[in-house]
Amino acid sequence: MNVRNKIVVSGIISCLFATLLTGLPLGSWNQPVRGGSLGIASAAEAPPKASLVKWGEFHEALAAGDPADTQHVSNLHDELNGLDDLNDQTLIDPVWNKILLKLPAHVDKVKVKADLFRFLKAVIVSQFDPKASELENIRGNADYRAAIQAISAAAGQPSLTLEDFLLFLYGDGNSRKGLEGSVKDEIHNMDPFSLMALTQEREKVYNLLFSEMKEVLGLSNDYQVSRVFRNLGVTALNVQEMLQSFGNRLQLDTDAFVGIAVAYMRSNVSTSYRIAHYDGNVTDGRIYHYDLGVFGAYVLPAQLVWSKRSGSSDLKVFPSGGMELVYPARSAKALIQVNLLHPYGGPDKVIFEKEVRHSHSFADFPEEPFFARMGKLYGTLEEGPPSDLSNVRSLQEEWAALDVNSNLQLLDPISNKLTPAQADGMKIALFQLLKETAGLYFDPQEARLDAIRTNADYKLLLNNIIPVYSNGAEQLLILLFGDDAARGGVQGEMLGLLARQSPEDLIALLHNEEKRKQLLRSAIDTVLSESDDGQRTTYFYALGSALKQRGVTTEDLLSVLSDFEDRLGHSESATSAMLSAYFRSETQETANISDDGLKHTYALSVLGKSVPAELLTWSKVSGSDAVMVMPGGVVTIPPYTPEVSAVIQAKAISPDGQSESILFRKEVTLKAADTGSEPAIPALLLERMNRLHEAIAAGGSQSVQKIHAVQEEIAGLDDNEMQFLIDPIWNKISEKLPASVDALLLKTSLFRLIKAAGALQYDPQASELKAMLANPEYQSALAILTEAGGSADVSIDDMVVFLFGDGSQAKGIEGNVRDILAAKKPKEITALFSNKKAVSSLINQALTEVLQQRDRYAVSEWIHGLGITAAEWQAVSVGFQQALEKEKPAMNAWLMAYIRSEVQETATISDNGTKHQYRLNVLGAELPSAFVKWIKLSGDKAVNVKLNGTVSLSNKQSSGRAVIQAVWLNASGGNAKVIFQKEVELVKEAE
């Protein structure tokens, strides 16, 4: 790259990044900026807004350009940042040498030059990668400030301020144009061929920049910066030489040139178009010829390529800049893009991108999509709460009853602007027309639409308001309800605003009339602002443009609406009902179904946005008693339930929690997965249960009676009077329940579940366990309690594992009791039979250990989530024990049976099979012979049984059978208890 072209790059950098002298913080170009030396100005100074906006537009244009250009500029940033603070100071010598001559002797010239160079470098670098914090640091740097003050003083001028630099660069918006304004004016006045040369030849850019810089520097009477330079003897040639020094030093500025230049042009692009008319042709009024300008200067079409990036297929875009709204489309939108061909000999660059919209002025209102849309809305309304439909019908009656004579003055804010003075007939027509048209929303009838289109008075009125158009009624309808294409109308804009609301705000709108009016105001504002598309030849909303020309404002329209609402008693309730129906029509549910089919977890989205669960409360409207619906959206059925259905609904809760509106209602079907004919119980658990049941029976009829007696006593505890027994845990649970839960019913179900589990533990039989697993009341209660605990779902199966284990790693309370007993000595176990407190302590120890294993037991995690402690569970256990008179003998019988179920015998055989020595292991440990007495219950006389467990066969017999029994001595402080019984056979082996 030759030196002259490198000066071009430096010149562009100088012009576009000249705000380096101001210390402007990016991100604030639409806000007031501090002035003065390096940003500290007097209170009277007011930086031109245009300068700040201009800088923002350029930087946005740069960021929106080709990523490769952005990278080139970033590379230049890094190169500038790498300039050496000491060795590269010579780059500013062409200007510094003139300043040096004017500095007084007492000034530290070495320091001033060093600070000036560092200041220039710091701010230039910051502009390539702007951070407000970095610029604030530059602004507050005392060394930089002192250097500028010293230089200004040497020129015999007050210290330069932010305002001085802004005026020099951007002018004041009046007579002083500034450097940027001078460049812009020069480009604006260029003929198309000169502009084309400017976008193709770097030399032309250099000539333009240097020429305008020389001119502005020469205007010392207008610019303080020019006066300082003049007094210091700094000429335009000195500035040029300094730029050349930077150009020689930089290596990466060549690639950055195009990105900077194109971004500058892109920030000042404008478009206009003309409509082609072909009488009698379907394309009449549908062809648009676009032109593009840079700084107001016309760009030759040969330099540009137009294309469509996205949008409606109804809008065609041609490379030459032509567009066509395809017949019979009423309106369409598209995102268009314009490429500048080969700027400065490089690849094409996007110079313009914008969404454009066109409508056909004489297109009719599309009634079919309108009635389809309203039909869906009213269908949803009729399926909703009867009160909503009643409110809307009441409003329809009130609206129809509005009398024109007594209410004509309600239109004054707009009628005075739309109808001729003293033309009462037109005012009456305006009243009736607006009454009929607005009534379409609350009572969409085809007859009403036909009346609007055919009424002669309405035609005369609309022809007076928009005389250019012969289809005024269609334009009114499109303004209000859209054209089912690009023009949404007030209704479409309102729906678009709703779609952009958060779920929380949507629900708030159901109960907040003021917020609804704010959205309506915004929708009307949008439609009126889009009525004129900036072209003289066409309007996006023809009637909207006519209203604006007559002086009708959004506030006028809202004032009329408000006055009408004051006459309508059901306006607010009907509007809320219609909005609620619209939300229901746009609500989608999702259901997460468990593998077993027993649980559906529902969630809702409205207008495509998920509604937080805390904003909804779910309930069952009707259906099978087996279906339970939790407030959080969890719907459950008990295991092994056949296919059942229920109607469920979700209500949206207002932000203040005082109001609810139905958002969703639907019949759902649930069916348990086919996992077998009955609940499955782990094989090891089932084996242990059967062993314990047999051990209870082996204890004799008295033991069985004791167990059954306490089970009957537990079952007989009154469900209402004895609920206080579970208060230690219920008090924690009740704090977590939502208001929608029937707490009394839930407490009753929980009490019954605890009774069932308590009775089952004494003699756990498979049939009773399966019944508890399948009980729908218990399932439903646990579902509610699980949600209150904020943990994963807890089922009856989890409760069984908590109590009895799973036959594998999870031992449950029962398994932990077994482990604790296994660690005790026989004497300690014996003591348990006469010490109820010790037995309770043992069970509580097992309970505590299980509660601590939250990662293994879902019930333990759930209990933790409810804030229930082991001590509170123990308090419940103690309460039950105190309420049960037959609990102690039953517990002793159970403990003995439990030990009996865990006994294993060993036999040592000797004397050719005629002698067996029996010993017992309890819970894995051998029971000392001192605690056991062996006896013979029945059998052959030849079989003898000694107290120590020796069983022998007399010498005269070759075989014999006998039933032997082992009893635990003084097991309960009194009578011995049978712990083992078995028929044995001894056979003498042949010698």
Side-chain angles (χ1 to χ4, degrees):
M1 182 180 187
N2 61 43
V3 172
R4 193 166 178 80
N5 281 340
K6 293 180 76 68
I7 296 175
V8 171
V9 179
S10 299
I12 291 175
I13 294 171
S14 175
C15 287
L16 300 184
F17 296 106
T19 48
L20 60 90
L21 296 178
T22 67
L24 283 176
L26 281 183
S28 62
W29 40 74
N30 290 315
Q31 304 171 7
V33 180
R34 296 191 297 271
S37 296
L38 302 185
I40 305 174
S42 65
E45 294 176 351
K49 292 183 179 179
S51 64
L52 307 182
V53 172
K54 180 61 193 174
W55 179 243
E57 289 173 351
F58 168 77
H59 216 283
E60 289 173 359
L62 179 63
D66 189 336
D69 290 341
T70 305
Q71 184 60 50
H72 291 322
V73 175
S74 177
N75 294 340
L76 180 58
H77 158 273
D78 295 341
E79 185 179 21
L80 284 165
N81 195 38
L83 292 176
D84 188 88
D85 290 345
L86 179 61
N87 296 326
D88 287 322
Q89 287 183 24
T90 57
L91 298 177
I92 66 171
D93 280 353
V95 172
W96 171 253
N97 291 336
K98 292 294 184 72
I99 296 173
L100 181 62
L101 296 175
K102 298 292 184 177
L103 291 175
H106 67 272
V107 173
D108 186 343
K109 301 175 181 60
V110 174
K111 178 171 174 52
V112 170
K113 181 179 182 181
D115 290 339
L116 177 61
F117 178 79
R118 289 192 302 110
F119 166 70
L120 294 175
K121 171 187 167 182
V123 183
I124 292 176
V125 168
S126 70
Q127 300 305 304
F128 283 99
D129 185 17
K131 293 183 177 65
S133 59
E134 292 181 5
L135 291 172
E136 286 296 331
N137 291 336
I138 296 170
R139 182 192 296 278
N141 188 294
D143 291 336
Y144 300 162
R145 187 162 53 246
I148 297 298
Q149 287 174 344
I151 293 171
S152 298
Q157 295 291 324
S159 184
L160 290 171
T161 67
L162 168 63
E163 180 69 4
D164 295 328
F165 287 113
L166 289 175
L167 289 174
F168 179 81
L169 294 168
Y170 300 108
D172 60 5
N174 293 309
S175 60
R176 291 181 290 183
K177 301 175 182 178
L179 177 59
E180 194 272 340
S182 296
V183 171
K184 182 177 179 180
D185 278 359
E186 189 65 24
I187 296 176
H188 177 75
N189 294 324
M190 285 183 176
D191 62 77
F193 295 97
S194 297
L195 181 60
M196 180 172 67
L198 189 69
T199 64
Q200 302 295 323
E201 303 175 34
R202 300 173 191 244
E203 185 79 8
K204 298 292 186 183
V205 177
Y206 164 75
N207 290 336
L208 173 63
L209 289 174
F210 183 68
S211 173
E212 299 309 313
M213 186 188 304
K214 182 178 180 180
E215 178 181 340
V216 178
L217 283 173
L219 299 174
S220 57
N221 291 331
D222 292 335
Y223 304 101
Q224 178 68 9
V225 171
S226 299
R227 284 194 291 275
V228 170
F229 274 35
R230 180 199 63 188
N231 292 355
L232 290 172
V234 177
T235 67
L237 182 59
N238 299 141
V239 176
Q240 177 185 356
E241 290 171 347
M242 183 180 72
L243 295 178
Q244 182 175 348
S245 297
F246 272 92
N248 291 334
R249 174 66 175 82
L250 296 172
Q251 301 299 315
L252 301 178
D253 51 348
T254 303
D255 292 333
F257 172 89
V258 175
I260 294 173
V262 171
Y264 188 57
M265 288 186 281
R266 188 163 54 238
S267 68
N268 288 274
V269 168
S270 60
T271 61
S272 62
Y273 65 84
R274 307 173 307 282
I275 299 180
H277 291 283
Y278 307 94
D279 292 339
N281 192 303
V282 294
T283 62
D284 182 32
R286 292 178 174 272
I287 303 294
Y288 312 90
H289 296 290
Y290 271 81
D291 296 321
L292 182 140
V294 174
F295 293 104
Y298 177 72
V299 179
L300 291 172
Q303 287 188 267
L304 306 172
V305 173
W306 297 69
S307 61
K308 181 170 69 175
R309 288 196 59 190
S310 61
S312 172
S313 59
D314 289 331
L315 188 62
K316 292 182 179 180
V317 179
F318 303 100
S320 61
M323 298 185 196
E324 178 184 353
L325 180 64
V326 179
Y327 179 84
R330 299 175 180 87
S331 62
K333 301 185 222 180
L335 181 64
I336 64 169
Q337 188 178 82
V338 184
N339 278 42
L340 179 64
L341 297 178
H342 311 299
Y344 308 105
D348 299 352
K349 296 292 181 182
V350 176
I351 197 172
F352 180 75
E353 186 172 276
K354 183 182 179 181
E355 181 182 72
V356 299
R357 312 188 308 167
H358 288 291
S359 63
H360 193 253
S361 303
F362 296 95
D364 290 338
F365 173 69
E367 59 182 77
E368 290 186 8
F370 170 76
F371 284 116
R373 187 167 67 246
M374 298 306 294
K376 176 184 177 183
L377 179 61
Y378 270 81
T380 306
L381 178 69
E382 292 171 352
E383 294 172 356
S387 60
D388 283 359
L389 183 60
S390 175
N391 287 329
V392 173
R393 286 179 173 169
S394 295
L395 179 62
Q396 292 172 352
E397 295 171 359
E398 292 175 345
W399 190 259
L402 284 174
D403 176 63
V404 62
N405 295 319
S406 58
N407 294 289
L408 191 59
Q409 73 279 6
L410 298 180
L411 295 182
D412 284 349
I414 62 173
S415 64
N416 294 334
K417 299 178 179 181
L418 294 179
T419 59
Q422 308 303 322
D424 290 339
M426 282 198 177
K427 289 184 179 180
I428 292 173
L430 178 62
F431 182 92
Q432 296 289 13
L433 172 61
L434 295 183
K435 179 181 174 182
E436 290 287 350
T437 308
L440 275 174
Y441 181 71
F442 289 104
D443 189 16
Q445 301 292 330
E446 291 187 14
R448 188 188 297 273
L449 179 61
D450 290 340
I452 294 170
R453 284 172 160 168
T454 59
N455 186 285
D457 292 336
Y458 300 165
K459 285 185 177 181
L460 180 62
L461 170 68
L462 291 169
N463 185 64
N464 178 69
I465 297 174
I466 44 175
V468 176
Y469 297 90
S470 60
N471 63 341
E474 308 301 320
Q475 299 301 326
L476 173 60
L477 294 167
I478 289 173
L479 182 78
L480 292 176
F481 304 112
D483 66 357
D484 199 42
R487 291 178 291 184
V490 174
Q491 184 185 43
E493 291 296 335
M494 187 72 172
L495 298 183
L497 289 170
L498 290 175
R500 293 192 287 273
Q501 302 295 306
S502 68
E504 293 84 353
D505 289 339
L506 286 175
I507 292 172
L509 285 170
L510 293 172
H511 314 284
N512 192 318
E513 183 182 15
E514 185 57 36
K515 288 186 177 181
R516 293 198 296 266
K517 286 184 177 180
Q518 290 174 5
L519 286 187
L520 179 59
R521 175 181 284 104
S522 180
I524 296 174
D525 272 342
T526 300
V527 169
L528 291 184
S529 67
E530 293 175 345
S531 293
D532 188 341
D533 65 0
Q535 311 297 322
R536 297 180 181 179
T537 52
T538 185
Y539 302 100
F540 204 58
Y541 291 99
L543 181 58
S545 176
L547 294 176
K548 288 174 63 179
Q549 292 173 5
R550 299 293 187 96
V552 176
T553 66
T554 299
E555 294 307 317
D556 293 334
L557 296 172
L558 289 174
S559 176
V560 172
L561 178 62
S562 179
D563 290 342
F564 270 92
E565 287 178 338
D566 291 342
R567 304 291 177 95
L568 303 169
H570 289 82
S571 174
E572 181 176 354
S573 59
T575 302
S576 180
M578 293 290 285
L579 186 60
S580 179
Y582 175 66
F583 288 167
R584 287 198 299 277
S585 72
E586 298 298 326
T587 295
Q588 296 291 329
E589 85 280 8
T590 57
N592 184 9
I593 303 175
S594 61
D595 292 339
D596 56 14
L598 303 180
K599 183 182 72 174
H600 293 193
T601 303
Y602 282 88
L604 294 182
S605 63
V606 178
L607 296 171
K609 297 179 181 179
S610 297
V611 181
E614 60 268 20
L615 298 181
L616 302 172
T617 180
W618 294 75
S619 61
K620 182 171 72 173
V621 179
S622 61
S624 171
D625 292 338
V627 178
M628 296 296 296
V629 181
M630 305 301 107
V634 176
V635 182
T636 62
I637 56 173
Y640 319 108
T641 302
E643 184 175 295
V644 291
S645 299
V647 175
I648 65 173
Q649 72 178 14
K651 291 183 178 181
I653 306 170
S654 63
D656 60 7
Q658 300 302 310
S659 303
E660 297 177 346
S661 299
I662 295 175
L663 194 60
F664 173 78
R665 178 179 287 180
K666 184 177 181 180
E667 183 178 53
V668 298
T669 300
L670 294 85
K671 181 180 180 180
D674 186 10
T675 56
S677 59
E678 60 181 12
I681 301 174
L684 291 177
L685 174 59
L686 185 60
E687 178 187 348
R688 196 161 66 245
M689 289 169 53
N690 291 336
R691 196 164 65 240
L692 178 60
H693 182 67
E694 293 172 358
I696 291 172
S701 59
Q702 289 187 350
S703 293
V704 173
Q705 289 175 2
K706 291 175 183 178
I707 294 294
H708 288 174
V710 76
Q711 288 179 321
E712 292 173 0
E713 190 177 16
I714 291 173
L717 291 174
D718 189 89
D719 291 340
N720 297 317
E721 294 181 3
M722 302 303 290
Q723 284 186 19
F724 69 89
L725 293 176
I726 65 172
D727 281 350
I729 63 170
W730 176 255
N731 293 335
K732 290 290 185 68
I733 293 171
S734 61
E735 295 175 357
K736 304 279 188 176
L737 296 176
S740 56
V741 171
D742 187 335
L744 181 60
L745 180 62
L746 178 62
K747 185 177 183 181
T748 300
S749 296
L750 177 61
F751 182 71
R752 290 172 178 168
L753 172 58
I754 292 176
K755 286 199 308 178
L760 182 65
Q761 69 177 340
Y762 286 98
D763 186 11
Q765 299 183 53
S767 59
E768 295 179 4
L769 179 56
K770 291 175 182 178
M772 190 172 76
L773 287 171
N775 189 295
E777 179 186 6
Y778 302 160
Q779 289 280 357
S780 300
L782 278 180
I784 298 174
L785 293 169
T786 296
E787 188 170 355
S791 62
D793 296 333
V794 175
S795 65
I796 295 296
D797 303 67
D798 296 319
M799 187 68 75
V800 170
V801 172
F802 180 78
L803 293 173
F804 303 108
D806 61 3
S808 182
Q809 297 297 318
K811 299 177 181 179
I813 294 175
E814 188 265 343
N816 276 273
V817 167
R818 183 172 66 253
D819 289 349
I820 295 170
L821 288 173
K824 292 184 177 296
K825 296 179 180 179
K827 185 175 182 180
E828 294 173 324
I829 295 176
T830 299
L832 291 174
F833 292 102
S834 59
N835 190 336
K836 180 179 179 181
K837 185 176 181 180
V839 174
S840 297
S841 177
L842 183 149
I843 295 174
N844 287 336
Q845 180 183 347
L847 171 64
T848 300
E849 290 182 7
V850 173
L851 287 175
Q852 290 175 346
Q853 299 178 50
R854 289 160 44 197
D855 58 337
R856 177 164 291 176
Y857 299 95
V859 171
S860 299
E861 178 64 24
W862 163 60
I863 290 172
H864 175 78
L866 290 169
I868 298 173
T869 65
E872 287 159 346
W873 271 108
Q874 292 167 10
V876 172
S877 177
V878 170
F880 271 91
Q881 291 173 9
Q882 293 174 347
L884 298 171
E885 296 179 358
K886 300 175 182 178
E887 190 271 339
K888 181 178 180 180
M891 178 57 69
N892 285 340
W894 176 86
L895 184 59
M896 193 65 248
Y898 188 79
I899 292 174
R900 189 181 299 123
S901 70
E902 296 297 330
V903 165
Q904 295 290 331
E905 85 280 9
T906 61
T908 303
I909 301 174
S910 59
D911 295 345
N912 295 327
T914 61
K915 181 179 179 182
H916 292 190
Q917 180 62 54
Y918 283 90
R919 294 182 177 82
L920 296 180
N921 291 327
V922 178
L923 298 169
E926 184 176 335
L927 192 63
S929 58
F931 288 89
V932 180
K933 180 178 73 173
W934 294 82
I935 58 176
K936 174 181 171 183
L937 285 182
S938 61
D940 298 334
K941 294 182 180 180
V943 178
N944 299 309
V945 179
K946 295 183 178 181
L947 295 179
N948 65 355
T950 300
V951 181
S952 58
L953 183 66
S954 63
N955 293 332
K956 296 181 179 181
Q957 299 294 325
S958 60
S959 66
R961 292 175 178 270
V963 175
I964 64 174
Q965 188 178 75
V967 297
W968 190 307
L969 299 176
N970 300 315
S972 59
N975 297 330
K977 297 294 183 180
V978 176
I979 61 171
F980 178 77
Q981 182 174 301
K982 183 179 182 180
E983 182 182 48
V984 298
E985 181 180 12
L986 289 79
V987 178
K988 184 176 182 180
E989 298 176 358
E991 296 181 0

